[in-house]
Amino acid sequence: MSWTLTAADLPDLARGATLLGTGGGGDPTIGSLLVRQALGDRSLTILDPDELADDLVVIPTAQMGAPTVMLEKIPAGTEPTLALRTLEAHLGRVAQATMPIECGGINSMIPLLVAAETGLPVVDADGMGRAFPELSMETFAVYGVHGSPLALAGERGETVVIDTGDDDRQMEWLARGVTIRLGGVAHIAEYAMSGAQVRATAVPRTLSMALALGRAIRLARHAKRSPFEAIAQTLSTTLYPHVRELFAGKVTDVQRRTRDGFAKGWAQISPPDGVGQALEVEFQNENLVARLGTDVLAVVPDLICVVDAESAEPITTERLRYGQRVRVLGISTPELMRTPAALAAFGPAAFGLDVPFVPVETRVVGAPAAVG
Amino acid sequence: MHIGIDVGGTNTDAVLMSGTTVLAGVKRSTSPDVTSGIVDAIQALADQHAFAPGQISAVMIGTTHFINALVEARRLAPTAALRLGLPATRALPPLVDWPDRLREAISARSYLAHGGYEFDGRPISPLDPDELRAHAADMAAHGIRSVAISAVFSPVNHDLEEQAAAIVGEVLGPDVAISLSHEIGRIGLLERESATIINAALRELAREIVDGLTAAVRARGITAPIFLSQNDGTLMDEEYVRRYPVATFASGPTNSMRGAAATSGYATCAVVDVGGTTSDIGLLVGGFPRETTTEVTVAGIRTNFRMPDVLSIGIGGGSVVDTQTAEVGPTSVGYRLTTEALVFGGSTLTATDIAVAAGRAQIGDPSLVAHLDPAFVQRVLDRIAERVAQAVDRMRTSPEPIAVVAVGGGSILLPDELPGLGPVVRPENYAVANAIGASIAQVGGEVDKVLAIAPGRRTETLDEVRQEAIDKAVAAGAVPSSVQVVEFDEVPIPYLPGDATRVRVKAVGDLQMGQVPA
């Protein structure tokens, strides 16, 4: 069912989107401030994917780059709509709706900013079902819609169109180079598709899921109930039904580098009493793999989320800091993200990890792993 | 011997300490001018336990003046926020997420200018001196007396902030204070910028307060160094406070929790600090205040300070009691308690009057509250107990029993047992725990340097830096076994060769008593 979103929903959506950002995706707080400024007291129309006309023209919008850059270099605000207009001009088609390519992190918000500026509705779906570091890591691409042509825009009003035919990896590579030249962050429009193609290739209702998660965490805290139980309960009726607690402890080391346009590194989380093995979480913008010694507890595309040990507030990799008390959650991804074709695009091997994909719910079972 | 002083909104507490032993402890009303309250308190200490000014080796002061000024939105300087970052960052100008009330209280002016850096050190755009001069002229025309300058990626390179400060300073003259964001905060433009604006808005008050504190201590002939508590429980000298008043922000809760730990002997407990205006509830875990792990909102402003996680409710000794509903606070008579409360001959029914009427305290003239209906008094006390218990329950993280330690002069309002929580521990000297917390100072060692980390040598290199910070803390007078690394921050600087990284480490430990921090 279609629904409307107002500025009052933004804090809950931001919290849920941070959780789905699985450590990356960029902090949506800045994104929600951008939307709040642009939206004022108006509301946005969010379209259910099942209700889209087959021939509806949908042009997703997003931001790409390193999340650490976004904490400092806030956009001018005009970039994402400029990217959309540039792609429309290149395609000779006019968008009738926009959509996230990524429901985790700040990219849950960028289409809302475009919608607030243009009056377009937003489709309640995305192509990652979480956050991923590369533009080619999309269920859209896995199931037959190509990202190219893509339009980028920078804060000085620069625009670039990249057309690589059906080669999404080349599109990602060229766009990444332009993004670095633009200062590490660019705004983009890509994966133009029809309403029918959205239904065939997108992960459905991820915006509403992010909103429901953020709201459940807030309400649980308010009612003094466990926010971890609230997360598990909210997800139990979605395409992401399994939640496991992988580890609980204290952040004892974080290493990160901005390299090749990504924030890469790892975090070490030690047991609360300091005795025993530490969990190591490796990330490339998003958390990729959680290892206890040589044991892999969870790996992409399943979600690895570091959250505050008590409040369950999700913590992004750029805000991870020595001394924080955290829990690490593993969340199962929908089946359409675990097919051989999907794993080829964004499974462990796509990140150069020499480990097989094993669903988190089969790797970690029973006590003490189950949350709540 | 050394002196610890806690200057709250209502009371000024002071302790005379020899090492960790309390020789004397007093409580006096905070005076509107700050100074005379401290002069009174030091005199009262001398009356309790005679000392010669020359015997005092240090004076440690904690004050809530700065955070109160922000929360109450008063005594703030007209402040401008100038950000270097155009054409980027236009969508969210400085002060965008500030409450209107505070924006008005600082007569805020917000300016965007060209400048700032990309993540790799390239300029976003060159500084435009004419643009900055025009902004500065506009600030002058609007009566701005303090300026906060932020630049995109200034933690990586702060040259442009300094250049802009020089240009703006030329136009505005030496009487306008300038605060630079790279000296205040870390990566995260909006939070760092907001902290810098808060600092700027407090600069005039800082001068006034520090002058007042110094004059009060010197008036007693004490020539020992004066230190103020910082948020993390370590000390800073007066000159530093004049420049960075924002660093004292959370020292109140830190001092009260550290004081509660020192006086009660509990390392893990809930601490209820009942002052004149509020009750502040925090958790002590293993001897350290539990800190907020995510963003901290101060007076409605998002910042990235490290602060103890404290819940404040509007119940204190000076809280006004509604004679109809028996509800308490949040209005408080504050430092006017000794003239306005019934027991002091005033005409306002306060929580202190209720405590006296119930026989829990001997303050002022009990006959002036003898007419209060005992049933009404009990209703008020039950209400206070209920609300404090709810607040403790909100702060605790598990349903397991936790000791509740009550400190602060207003803790006479609390019953001996809290509903659902059990007995309340009241340590000796509970009324002056904050001053004790200020006096059991910690000292820190800080290292902030840019390092080239050779391949495969990261762990060793960082360990060396950590050790350097620990050594500095010990050299500054910390007990070696108590030193811990409390902050560690690594910012890669990608535009320099050889994996250059800016590393900041802070280690703190308990001050070796009898020694004066270097």
Side-chain angles (χ1 to χ4, degrees):
Chain A
M1 218 178 58
S2 295
W3 47 285
T4 57
L5 184 141
T6 66
D9 295 319
L10 294 171
D12 284 339
L13 178 60
R15 186 177 304 111
T18 307
L19 188 75
L20 296 178
T22 179
D27 184 352
T29 310
I30 285 171
S32 68
L33 280 175
L34 290 169
V35 178
R36 195 185 76 184
Q37 288 294 104
L39 188 58
D41 49 17
R42 295 176 298 141
S43 62
L44 298 175
T45 303
I46 313 294
L47 302 175
D48 190 273
D50 283 352
E51 295 172 9
L52 303 181
D54 281 351
D55 59 354
L56 191 81
V57 179
V58 181
I59 301 184
T61 44
Q63 177 189 79
M64 69 179 293
T68 39
V69 172
M70 189 60 187
L71 282 182
E72 279 289 320
K73 198 174 79 163
I74 295 164
T78 46
E79 302 92 329
T81 300
L82 179 60
L84 176 85
R85 296 302 181 214
T86 303
L87 189 61
E88 284 178 335
H90 181 78
L91 292 169
R93 271 183 287 162
V94 175
Q96 294 169 302
T98 187
M99 178 169 73
I101 61 163
E102 176 179 43
C103 65
I106 191 168
N107 274 334
S108 60
M109 297 288 175
I110 299 298
L112 305 182
L113 174 61
V114 171
E117 288 195 333
T118 60
L120 289 175
V122 181
V123 178
D124 186 1
D126 78 306
M128 291 183 174
R130 45 167 286 164
F132 280 124
E134 297 186 24
L135 302 180
S136 48
M137 296 174 166
E138 292 278 339
T139 56
F140 304 149
V142 169
Y143 299 108
V145 174
H146 292 293
S148 167
L150 163 147
L152 295 96
E155 71 263 2
R156 296 168 185 81
E158 318 93 317
T159 58
V160 178
V161 173
I162 292 173
D163 198 335
T164 56
D166 58 6
D167 191 341
D168 293 322
R169 293 194 66 83
Q170 178 74 353
M171 176 194 77
E172 152 66 33
W173 192 76
L174 291 174
R176 192 67 53 181
V178 174
T179 299
I180 293 169
R181 296 288 177 275
L182 286 174
V185 169
H187 288 79
I188 56 173
E190 53 162 1
Y191 286 101
M193 67 180 85
S194 68
Q197 285 174 311
V198 170
R199 271 193 295 281
T201 68
V203 187
R205 292 173 204 94
T206 42
L207 266 184
S208 42
M209 183 174 81
L211 181 58
L213 277 170
R215 188 177 286 153
I217 294 171
R218 172 173 57 82
L219 292 177
R221 279 183 208 155
H222 193 72
K224 290 285 294 170
R225 286 183 285 110
S226 158
F228 297 92
E229 272 173 35
I231 291 171
Q233 202 171 12
T234 305
L235 289 172
S236 66
T237 57
T238 69
L239 299 172
Y240 302 67
H242 307 288
V243 186
R244 296 288 185 272
E245 182 175 309
L246 306 179
F247 203 76
K250 176 178 144 177
V251 178
T252 43
D253 199 5
V254 183
Q255 184 181 21
R256 52 174 93 81
R257 289 272 176 278
T258 306
R259 185 169 289 156
D260 310 325
F262 297 113
K264 294 186 179 184
W266 50 263
Q268 184 189 59
I269 297 157
S270 299
D273 52 8
V275 182
Q277 226 161 19
L279 187 80
E280 198 175 293
V281 178
E282 190 182 327
F283 52 82
Q284 173 182 341
N285 288 11
E286 288 74 37
N287 299 324
L288 297 178
V289 58
R291 287 191 186 92
L292 202 55
T294 54
D295 252 7
V296 174
L297 297 188
V299 66
V300 279
D302 282 348
L303 281 63
I304 298 164
C305 308
V306 182
V307 302
D308 180 87
E310 284 139 25
S311 69
E313 192 69 18
I315 306 172
T316 55
T317 56
E318 68 268 22
R319 291 192 191 268
L320 275 178
R321 210 155 48 179
Y322 173 86
Q324 286 168 330
R325 267 105 185 137
V326 299
R327 295 194 206 195
V328 184
L329 305 181
I331 298 174
S332 65
T333 33
E335 287 312 313
L336 87 157
M337 296 177 65
R338 291 170 160 187
T339 62
L343 291 177
F346 43 67
F351 293 93
L353 296 171
D354 189 22
V355 294
F357 172 74
V358 177
V360 67
E361 66 272 23
T362 59
R363 183 90 66 164
V364 182
V365 280
V371 172
Chain B
M1 281 185 283
H2 62 283
I3 291 175
I5 303 175
D6 176 68
V7 189
T10 309
N11 289 311
T12 296
D13 301 342
V15 288
L16 180 67
M17 306 283 290
S18 172
T20 53
T21 310
V22 182
L23 300 176
V26 299
K27 182 176 282 294
R28 288 294 178 272
S29 293
T30 295
S31 56
D33 67 346
V34 180
T35 314
S36 53
I38 294 179
V39 171
D40 284 358
I42 296 177
Q43 180 58 48
L45 283 182
D47 293 345
Q48 263 190 30
H49 190 285
F51 62 87
Q55 288 176 280
I56 302 301
S57 57
V59 179
M60 290 90 159
I61 303 175
T63 175
T64 54
H65 267 99
F66 299 112
I67 198 156
N68 286 350
L70 191 74
V71 171
E72 294 164 17
R74 59 187 184 89
R75 301 172 78 183
L76 302 171
T79 300
L82 168 63
R83 183 199 293 163
L84 312 173
L86 284 180
T89 79
R90 210 167 50 227
L92 298 176
L95 300 153
V96 66
D97 51 351
W98 279 46
D100 291 339
R101 191 176 77 105
L102 269 172
R103 260 199 299 244
E104 284 157 22
I106 65 167
S107 308
R109 306 283 301 170
S110 167
Y111 300 89
L112 288 166
H114 289 78
Y117 291 98
E118 303 284 7
F119 73 97
D120 55 4
R122 282 178 292 150
I124 292 176
S125 52
L127 275 196
D128 178 348
D130 290 335
E131 181 186 34
L132 293 173
R133 284 187 202 105
H135 283 336
D138 188 70
M139 292 174 197
H142 284 90
I144 290 300
R145 295 203 300 268
S146 194
V147 183
I149 299 180
S150 56
V152 174
F153 276 111
S154 66
V156 173
N157 187 339
H158 54 254
D159 289 354
L160 289 180
E161 281 189 0
E162 279 171 356
Q163 287 172 29
I167 294 169
V168 169
E170 256 171 45
V171 177
L172 293 174
D175 293 339
V176 172
I178 296 179
S179 304
L180 303 182
S181 83
H182 75 271
E183 296 178 336
I184 307 275
R186 308 258 151 118
I187 289 279
L189 177 66
L190 287 181
E191 293 93 338
R192 181 176 74 250
E193 181 175 80
S194 288
T196 311
I197 299 168
I198 293 172
N199 193 70
L202 292 171
R203 288 283 287 270
E204 287 187 355
L205 182 63
R207 193 161 55 206
E208 209 180 296
I209 297 284
V210 172
D211 286 349
L213 297 176
T214 312
V217 172
R218 299 293 176 242
R220 289 282 316 159
I222 297 169
T223 55
I226 298 169
F227 299 96
L228 278 96
S229 312
Q230 297 196 71
N231 299 346
D232 58 12
T234 62
L235 297 170
M236 54 184 171
D237 66 22
E238 40 185 301
E239 202 42 52
Y240 190 89
V241 183
R242 287 176 204 270
R243 292 180 64 85
Y244 308 108
V246 77
T248 69
F249 240 61
S251 64
T254 305
N255 285 343
S256 100
M257 283 198 253
R258 289 175 45 74
T263 53
S264 74
Y266 282 92
T268 299
C269 59
V271 177
V272 184
D273 178 8
V274 190
T277 307
T278 59
S279 296
D280 298 330
I281 293 115
L283 281 191
L284 206 59
V285 181
F288 284 86
R290 187 180 72 181
E291 290 187 335
T292 53
T293 47
T294 46
E295 75 209 27
V296 179
T297 304
V298 182
I301 305 164
R302 234 162 61 95
T303 67
N304 50 10
F305 299 129
R306 293 187 59 153
M307 292 174 63
D309 193 5
V310 168
L311 176 65
S312 285
I313 57 173
I315 293 180
S319 293
V320 176
V321 178
D322 188 315
T323 50
Q324 302 303 314
T325 62
E327 195 50 85
V328 184
T331 318
S332 168
V333 296
Y335 64 81
R336 298 184 309 275
L337 183 74
T338 51
T339 52
E340 298 203 0
L342 298 186
V343 288
F344 293 109
S347 56
T348 308
L349 178 63
T350 66
T352 296
D353 297 316
I354 297 292
V356 174
R360 289 200 188 162
Q362 299 288 324
I363 300 169
D365 181 355
S367 71
L368 295 173
V369 291
H371 64 284
L372 293 176
D373 173 13
F376 175 79
V377 169
Q378 194 53 49
R379 248 172 82 203
V380 175
L381 290 173
D382 288 350
R383 184 68 187 130
I384 291 171
E386 184 189 334
R387 283 178 55 200
V388 170
Q390 278 170 0
V392 172
D393 191 49
R394 255 179 75 186
M395 289 300 286
R396 67 174 168 171
T397 52
S398 76
E400 278 153 47
I402 183 163
V404 178
V405 175
V407 296
S411 61
I412 49 167
L413 297 173
L414 300 182
D416 293 333
E417 199 154 311
L418 277 174
L421 294 164
V424 173
V425 179
R426 249 180 269 265
E428 198 187 350
N429 296 311
Y430 67 90
V432 290
N434 287 20
I436 295 170
S439 79
I440 46 170
Q442 290 202 311
V443 281
E446 210 164 351
V447 178
D448 180 347
K449 55 160 79 170
V450 176
L451 299 164
I453 296 177
R457 287 260 310 145
R458 178 175 175 273
T459 309
E460 293 92 318
T461 309
L462 296 185
D463 281 348
E464 282 163 23
V465 182
R466 282 196 193 93
Q467 193 55 48
E468 197 178 328
I470 292 168
D471 292 346
K472 276 191 170 182
V474 172
V479 179
S481 61
S482 71
V483 179
Q484 293 199 3
V485 172
V486 292
E487 275 190 69
F488 184 84
D489 198 37
E490 201 184 347
V491 182
I493 306 181
Y495 66 92
L496 292 177
D499 269 352
T501 300
R502 182 176 180 189
V503 182
R504 284 190 279 199
V505 188
K506 184 165 190 180
V508 303
D510 299 337
L511 179 64
Q512 195 90 251
M513 282 303 166
Q515 261 188 286
V516 172

